[in-house]
Amino acid sequence: MNTSTSSTSAAASASGALPRIAVLATGGTIAGSAADVTNTSGYQAGVVGVERLLEAVPALSGVAQIRPEQIAGVDSKDMALALWTTLAQRINVLLASDDIDGVVITHGTDTLEETAYLLHLTVKGTKPVVLTAAMRPASALSADGPLNLLNAVTVAASAAAHGQGVLVAFNNRIHSARDVVKTSTYAVDAFQSPEIGALGWVQDGRVEFQRKVVRAHTVATEFVIGANWPNVEIVTSYAGASRLGVDALVAAGVRGIVVAGTGNGSIHASIQQALADAATQGVAVVRSSRVGSGHVMRNGAAADDVLGFVSAGSLNPYKARVLLMLALAAGATGAVALQTIFDKY
Ligand code: SIN
């Protein structure tokens, strides 16, 4: 076990000043508002500005010097590729600046795991980058956003968070962007890292990491954020499935398809034949699982070597899509090259 604990960044404690943390707001339930304090499902996401989010947490002034920026105000179900580009490029500028010690991003919970993994692979720096969110809107009784925001800033301000890749601070736990997934539609402990658990925890100003991320990220990837996103879509396998969806995607000219297979990435025979046909036409096909935890064994439930498929390993279909888009954008072609990338990240 690798345990490291800290409360403030090394640079800040050397100078005696509080760390300078940029807080980039993108919307979500953390910035949501409803007419009634008991309404936690029928609210409008992304309408409360970053200044008001910060005002709700006076204790932040004892943790960091906050540099707020309103990047967007979206419900994250509507997260767009262009906004990903804007966000990642802005973070890279901030990480390169001598005036910033870390970055926090407030985000909706619905696609947080996708944005977090995208940033994990494309931001370039070792300073902390921490996403947070909330399950209850800012207007709710017992809103979880304020404490999540305080904890995210506390993690971003800590020396222990340096070089850990992009992190998610949620409900007192610190997760790696690679592993974390949303697992509940309503509970305040909605984020988990299935199989392997959180990296650590944050509570009352104390940050403790109990393990490190092993797979390559941030400065150790070949991925560069750009504006050209290859078209990659996701299909699901299920009882009675047909090949209609895959054939429509291939006819539309997609570059890649991720299949959310059953179990160990097994695929209904109709879809599997359609995907094999797609692969022979040069479409990248990645086999993932709809199960929600575990991994997909290469050449296990499907003959990847024969069919020209790639195994997503332990990435869920949504994160596998992120990696496939980045890999194709970086010029990777063919199942062998893509499998090497999936095995690395
Ligand atoms: C969103 O993802 O923007 C809405 C839902 C949430 O943040 O919990």
Side-chain angles (χ1 to χ4, degrees), residues 130-144:
V130 186
L131 287 92
T132 196
M135 290 300 287
R136 298 177 182 150
S139 55
L141 202 60
S142 298
D144 52 330

Side-chain angles (χ1 to χ4, degrees), residues 141-182:
L141 202 60
S142 298
D144 52 330
L147 183 57
N148 283 345
L149 180 54
L150 178 64
N151 283 338
V153 171
T154 303
V155 174
S158 77
H162 280 246
Q164 305 265 19
V166 172
L167 303 169
V168 174
F170 202 91
N171 200 38
N172 290 102
R173 294 205 171 79
I174 307 165
H175 297 270
S176 169
R178 187 188 189 279
D179 306 325
V180 74
V181 294
K182 183 175 178 178

Side-chain angles (χ1 to χ4, degrees), residues 87-106:
L87 182 62
Q89 287 177 339
R90 182 63 189 145
I91 293 169
N92 279 332
V93 168
L94 291 166
L95 293 180
S97 163
D98 290 338
D99 297 331
I100 289 294
D101 298 308
V103 178
V104 166
I105 302 115
T106 61

Side-chain angles (χ1 to χ4, degrees), residues 26-32 43-46 74-78 107-112 133-137 170 182 185 191:
T26 68
T29 293
I30 192 169
Y43 55 88
Q44 199 177 350
V74 296
D75 185 321
S76 79
K77 72 179 176 58
D78 296 324
H107 198 285
T109 61
D110 287 345
T111 59
L112 182 144
M135 290 300 287
R136 298 177 182 150
F170 202 91
K182 183 175 178 178
T185 57
F191 283 86

Side-chain angles (χ1 to χ4, degrees), residues 252-267:
V254 295
R255 299 267 318 275
I257 298 174
V258 175
V259 55
T262 40
N264 177 24
S266 55
I267 310 169

Side-chain angles (χ1 to χ4, degrees), residues 33-335:
S33 182
D36 192 304
V37 296
T38 61
N39 185 339
T40 59
S41 63
Y43 55 88
Q44 199 177 350
V47 292
V48 178
V50 65
E51 300 287 356
R52 272 184 55 204
L53 296 185
L54 296 168
E55 280 164 23
V57 196
L60 282 170
S61 63
V63 177
Q65 303 172 59
I66 304 293
R67 308 283 156 82
E69 290 185 31
Q70 190 76 46
I71 301 289
V74 296
D75 185 321
S76 79
K77 72 179 176 58
D78 296 324
M79 180 53 65
L81 301 179
L83 180 50
W84 271 356
T85 300
T86 301
L87 182 62
Q89 287 177 339
R90 182 63 189 145
I91 293 169
N92 279 332
V93 168
L94 291 166
L95 293 180
S97 163
D98 290 338
D99 297 331
I100 289 294
D101 298 308
V103 178
V104 166
I105 302 115
T106 61
H107 198 285
T109 61
D110 287 345
T111 59
L112 182 144
E113 69 206 57
E114 296 167 60
T115 300
Y117 189 47
L118 178 275
L119 297 176
H120 190 65
L121 295 173
T122 58
V123 299
K124 300 302 175 194
T126 57
K127 294 174 186 172
V129 176
V130 186
L131 287 92
T132 196
M135 290 300 287
R136 298 177 182 150
S139 55
L141 202 60
S142 298
D144 52 330
L147 183 57
N148 283 345
L149 180 54
L150 178 64
N151 283 338
V153 171
T154 303
V155 174
S158 77
H162 280 246
Q164 305 265 19
V166 172
L167 303 169
V168 174
F170 202 91
N171 200 38
N172 290 102
R173 294 205 171 79
I174 307 165
H175 297 270
S176 169
R178 187 188 189 279
D179 306 325
V180 74
V181 294
K182 183 175 178 178
T183 60
S184 173
T185 57
Y186 72 100
V188 291
D189 62 347
F191 283 86
Q192 311 288 336
S193 296
E195 298 273 327
I196 48 186
L199 293 180
W201 51 263
V202 48
Q203 185 177 15
D204 299 347
R206 184 180 166 95
V207 174
E208 183 167 321
F209 284 85
Q210 294 180 327
R211 67 177 181 87
K212 278 193 183 299
V213 180
V214 171
R215 293 209 176 207
H217 57 75
T218 56
V219 292
T221 81
E222 67 255 54
F223 306 122
V224 178
I225 194 71
N228 292 325
W229 292 92
N231 193 353
V232 174
E233 301 288 342
I234 299 171
V235 298
T236 304
S237 189
Y238 45 86
S242 82
R243 60 178 295 154
L244 283 175
V246 172
D247 287 345
L249 291 175
V250 173
V254 295
R255 299 267 318 275
I257 298 174
V258 175
V259 55
T262 40
N264 177 24
S266 55
I267 310 169
H268 190 288
S270 306
I271 298 184
Q272 181 160 307
Q273 186 56 55
L275 289 169
D277 295 344
T280 61
Q281 294 178 52
V283 177
V285 176
V286 174
R287 237 172 16 97
S288 182
S289 174
R290 66 181 206 181
V291 167
S293 69
H295 52 256
V296 167
M297 290 292 288
R298 181 165 178 83
N299 292 320
D304 295 307
D305 286 346
V306 176
L307 298 166
F309 295 170
V310 174
S311 161
S314 55
L315 290 178
N316 72 18
Y318 318 105
K319 294 191 193 209
R321 174 176 175 263
V322 169
L323 181 54
L324 183 55
M325 283 193 292
L326 290 173
L328 293 173
T333 51

